Amino acid sequence: MAKYPQDPAAPDASYLGFWQERHLCTLTTARADGSPHVVPVGVTYDPGRRLARVIADKSSTKVGNVLAAGAAGARVAVCQVDGRRWATLEGRAFVRTDRERVAEAERRYAERYGRTPGPNPTRVVIEIELTRAMGRG
């Protein structure tokens, strides 16, 4: 079993394998008053680029919370749990609207979750530049 902590750029095989399985995750962002906003999402993990990605509609609260943090990005966490296995990735989130980045996030989502997201002209990607990884794969 993988152990806490992990190197977000070079996790051990069981931790990375856990992030490649199909699991529903949560994304935690901060509201304007500082309270946590926790929502279910699909997450993809790219240790080679030290990124996690979440596709979202640009009008969603999670996107608004990230944008409200400004140019420095929002501190966020994504997490998944399966029995005694758990994994959390933390970092700074940024909303990206570039079609190539959104398409890459959609491709990775389809690969992990086994279905291609439906068309959405207002889709964006939340890219999380990872600073910390922890858990037990």
Side-chain angles (χ1 to χ4, degrees), residues 38-50:
V38 183
V39 294
V41 293
V43 175
T44 61
Y45 175 30
D46 182 354
R49 291 199 172 150
R50 217 175 161 118

Side-chain angles (χ1 to χ4, degrees), residues 71-94:
R75 293 183 64 185
V76 304
V78 291
C79 183
Q80 65 182 20
V81 177
D82 181 34
R84 297 181 66 168
R85 298 184 306 159
W86 64 277
T88 300
L89 299 169
E90 297 178 13
R92 294 252 173 214
F94 301 87

